[in-house]
Amino acid sequence: MILTVTLNTALDITYRVPRLTPHASHRVAEVTERPGGKGLNVARVLAALGRPVTVTGFAGGATGAALRDQLAEAGGVRDALLDVTGRTRRTVAVVDERTGDTTQLNEPGPLITPEEWSRLRGSYEELLPSAEAVALCGSLPPGVPVGAYAQLVRSARAAQVPVLLDTSGAPLRRGIAARPDVVKPNADELAELTGSHEPLRATRDARRRGAHTVVASLGADGLLAATPDGVWQAAPPAPVHGNPTGAGDSAVAALVAGLAEDSPWPRILARAVALSAATVLAPVAGEFDAAAYEDFLGRVAVTERASAA
Amino acid sequence: MILTVTLNTALDITYRVPRLTPHASHRVAEVTERPGGKGLNVARVLAALGRPVTVTGFAGGATGAALRDQLAEAGGVRDALLDVTGRTRRTVAVVDERTGDTTQLNEPGPLITPEEWSRLRGSYEELLPSAEAVALCGSLPPGVPVGAYAQLVRSARAAQVPVLLDTSGAPLRRGIAARPDVVKPNADELAELTGSHEPLRATRDARRRGAHTVVASLGADGLLAATPDGVWQAAPPAPVHGNPTGAGDSAVAALVAGLAEDSPWPRILARAVALSAATVLAPVAGEFDAAAYEDFLGRVAVTERASAA
C-alpha cells in the first residue's frame, strides 16, 4: 500500500453564496463537507486510481469524528489516523457564485501534545514496513516540532521506503535536509526556500539542499523536475480552465504512485501533469475527471531541459 | 420551569480575523463555538438569571451532537431537544478585528420529516403542564409547516400556559392569528407584518391581528408595548455601545419571565430594557453584563404613551 501522512487534517466546508458582501448577512445556498488536508486529498485520488492506500495523522474532537465518519463512508482509504484531545480544524471556502472567486477561512489546527506526537511516530514506524512509498503532506499543527518531517523522512529512509515531502516554510527547509526522495514545492514555496524566482535555477538549488528529486509545480506551465537522471519539463496539452484547488495534491498522488512503482521519470511526470489537469476540470479537491485524465495522458509534452546539475 | 422552543437550532461559530478581504485566504485568529438559535439564547439568559428552564426543538447530525454536548457542559438548561435525521445548521460570524464589523454566513436548516414534526408536538404537549410560560423562537427549518407556531400557540393556550412568539414573516403572520399572549417583533418585522413604518400605529395594528400584547423592539429607542392595560415606551438610561447580537433574545427572556410571574407591564418592560442594554455590553449572544443589568434596572424610563387602542 501507499501511506500518506496528514498531521494537520481538516474538515473542509464549502459554502456557495449568490454574492459575498462583507459585513452583510448571507443565506448559504449550498453546503458541502469533506475530509481534507493535503494527504487525505492525495489518498482519495490514489483510491480513485485503484491503489491500496492508508492514511495516518491526527484527528480529534467533533470535527475529527465527522471527518473519520465521512472517510469511512466514502470507502477506498484505510484509516490509521490517531485520536487526539484537540479539535481538528475546519476550513471554510466561501464561493461567490457571481464571480466564481473563493474566500478562504482556515481555523488553527489542534494543539498536539508531546505524547501524541510520540505516539504518531510509533504508529508510523509500524506502518512503514508494509508501505511501498510514503507521502508526507501539508502544514504542521501547533505543538508538533518544526523538525517533524525531517524525523519522518529519516525513518522512511532507514526502512528503505521511498518518501515524498510536500510542505512549505521551515518544515520544508528542515525536511529537505533529511534527504527525501522527492519534494514537490509550488513556485511560491520554491522561491521562499531558495530565494530565487527563476524556476530552473531554484529547482536545481533545492536539489542541492538534499532532495534526490525536486518536482516544482508551476501552475499552467506544468511541472519542472530536477532528478538524478536529468531535468524535464512536462506541460499540459492545452490550457485548462476550472478549479485549481487540489491540482497539486493530484500531482503528488501520481508522483508517489510512480515512486512506489519505480517508473522512469518522464512517465511519472506525464501522469502527474495529466492528473493535475484532470483535477482542475473537477469541481472539488480530491476528485478528477477520469475521461479527461485518459485523454490528456497521451498528449502531455515531456521535454528534457538540460542535464542535471 | 420556563419552556423555550427552538425549531431551527444552530451551532454558532465566530471567527475573528485581522481583516476580511473577499477572495483572499485568511488564518482565523480565534474560534468560538456555542449553541445557538434564538430560543437557546433566551434559555441561557434565563439560566443566568437563576430561572429553571427547559429547551425543546430539533437537533441532528454531528453539529446537533456538538450543540447538545456544549449545552450540557454549560449547565443550567434542561435539554429536551429531539434528535432528527437532518443535520443542525451552522452559522459562521466573521468578525473583522479592524472595523468590528461582522459578516454572517447562515447554513440552511435540516429537512424535518412529518413524523419528526409530529413527535415534536407530542413532546411539547407533554412538557406544557409543567411550564409556567413558553417562548416560541426563531425561524422554521425546511419541512415544518408554516402554521407550526399557530399550532404551538393554540396548544399552550388550551393548557392555559402563557405563550410568547418571536419570529418573522409568514410564521409570525400565521402565529399571531392564534392569539399568543405576547409577540416581540423588531422594527423591520413589525413593518413587514403591518405595512407601516410608524411604530405606534404598527404596534397597535399588530395587536388587532390577534396578539394580546405586542412588544416592539426599536433598537436604541428601547421597547414600545401595546398591552391590554395601556401603551408604554421603555427606554435605556443612555445610549449603549457594543454588540447588539442577542439583545432581542435577552428582551424575550425578561418578557417570558414576566409572563411566568404575571408581573405588571411597566416592571416587565423595565427589566427587558435593562437586560437588553446589559447584553449589548457583553461580547457574545446569550450573555449579559450582570453589574450593568443591576445598575440599569433602576434607571430605565417607562412612560405611558397613550391609552390602548
Side-chain angles (χ1 to χ4, degrees), chain A residues 13 15 17 21-28 31 33 87 90 92 94 96 99 101-108, chain B residues 13 15 21-28 31 33 87 90 92 94 96 99 101-108:
Chain A
I13 300 167
Y15 288 161
V17 298
T21 312
H23 313 149
S25 186
H26 304 75
R27 283 174 196 242
V28 175
V31 182
E33 205 177 288
R87 191 182 65 195
R90 283 171 291 223
V92 177
V94 185
D96 183 320
T99 62
D101 286 320
T102 297
T103 305
Q104 187 74 37
L105 298 155
N106 296 330
E107 295 187 2
Chain B
I13 300 167
Y15 288 161
T21 312
H23 314 150
S25 186
H26 304 74
R27 282 173 196 242
V28 175
V31 182
E33 204 178 288
R87 190 182 65 195
R90 284 171 289 223
V92 177
V94 185
D96 183 320
T99 63
D101 285 321
T102 297
T103 305
Q104 188 74 37
L105 297 155
N106 296 330
E107 295 186 3

Side-chain angles (χ1 to χ4, degrees), chain A residues 208-285:
Chain A
R208 280 193 292 271
R209 288 167 186 265
H212 290 255
T213 290
V214 176
V215 182
S217 54
L218 305 174
D221 291 335
L223 299 175
L224 176 65
T227 82
D229 309 326
V231 176
W232 282 279
Q233 177 126 20
V240 182
H241 301 287
N243 176 9
T245 311
D249 300 333
S250 289
V252 168
L255 296 172
V256 72
L259 278 183
E261 289 166 3
D262 199 17
S263 297
W265 276 108
R267 187 185 297 171
I268 296 177
L269 296 172
R271 286 183 183 168
V273 166
L275 201 53
S276 269
T279 299
V280 172
L281 294 177
V284 285

Side-chain angles (χ1 to χ4, degrees), chain A:
Chain A
M1 57 85 176
I2 292 171
L3 177 63
T4 77
V5 177
T6 317
L7 298 178
N8 209 2
T9 56
L11 189 64
D12 285 341
I13 300 167
T14 302
Y15 288 161
R16 299 187 77 84
V17 298
R19 180 181 182 142
L20 179 64
T21 312
H23 313 149
S25 186
H26 304 75
R27 283 174 196 242
V28 175
E30 190 191 307
V31 182
T32 55
E33 205 177 288
R34 61 182 53 235
K38 282 168 183 273
L40 292 188
N41 294 339
V42 170
R44 270 210 306 278
V45 171
L46 288 167
L49 291 172
R51 308 289 308 220
V53 58
T54 298
V55 293
T56 188
F58 300 116
T63 44
L67 179 154
R68 298 183 77 166
D69 284 351
Q70 290 170 25
L71 201 60
E73 266 172 44
V77 171
R78 200 187 134 231
D79 174 357
L81 295 166
L82 296 191
D83 201 36
V84 290
T85 305
R87 191 182 65 195
T88 293
R89 67 199 172 117
R90 283 171 291 223
T91 73
V92 177
V94 185
V95 179
D96 183 320
E97 292 186 323
R98 189 178 45 107
T99 62
D101 286 320
T102 297
T103 305
Q104 187 74 37
L105 298 155
N106 296 330
E107 295 187 2
L111 180 65
I112 302 300
T113 65
E115 185 275 331
E116 288 165 344
W117 167 235
S118 159
R119 202 148 47 84
L120 187 284
R121 279 183 305 164
S123 161
Y124 173 75
E125 298 203 350
E126 282 170 24
L127 289 163
L128 275 177
S130 47
E132 303 159 79
V134 181
L136 308 173
C137 303
S139 60
L140 301 179
V144 171
V146 68
Y149 282 135
Q151 294 180 37
L152 299 183
V153 167
R154 280 193 291 268
S155 299
R157 289 178 52 75
Q160 296 186 295
V161 179
V163 55
L164 177 151
L165 176 60
D166 182 16
T167 187
S168 60
L172 172 58
R173 199 177 293 275
R174 294 282 293 269
I176 204 170
R179 306 189 63 76
D181 293 274
V182 180
V183 295
K184 194 221 65 62
N186 62 28
D188 288 345
E189 290 159 355
L190 191 62
E192 193 196 349
L193 178 69
T194 64
S196 166
H197 287 272
E198 201 288 294
L200 189 59
R201 171 180 300 200
T203 302
R204 283 176 165 160
D205 178 12
R207 254 202 99 213
R208 280 193 292 271
R209 288 167 186 265
H212 290 255
T213 290
V214 176
V215 182
S217 54
L218 305 174
D221 291 335
L223 299 175
L224 176 65
T227 82
D229 309 326
V231 176
W232 282 279
Q233 177 126 20
V240 182
H241 301 287
N243 176 9
T245 311
D249 300 333
S250 289
V252 168
L255 296 172
V256 72
L259 278 183
E261 289 166 3
D262 199 17
S263 297
W265 276 108
R267 187 185 297 171
I268 296 177
L269 296 172
R271 286 183 183 168
V273 166
L275 201 53
S276 269
T279 299
V280 172
L281 294 177
V284 285
E287 288 180 13
F288 60 91
D289 181 325
Y293 173 52
E294 296 297 330
D295 174 46
F296 291 155
L297 206 49
R299 302 201 292 128
V300 173
V302 184
T303 38
E304 187 144 18
R305 279 288 293 264
S307 60

Side-chain angles (χ1 to χ4, degrees), chain B residues 221-223 234-237 251 254 268-278 293 296 300-301:
Chain B
D221 291 337
L223 299 173
I268 296 178
L269 296 172
R271 285 182 183 170
V273 166
L275 200 53
S276 271
Y293 173 53
F296 291 153
V300 173

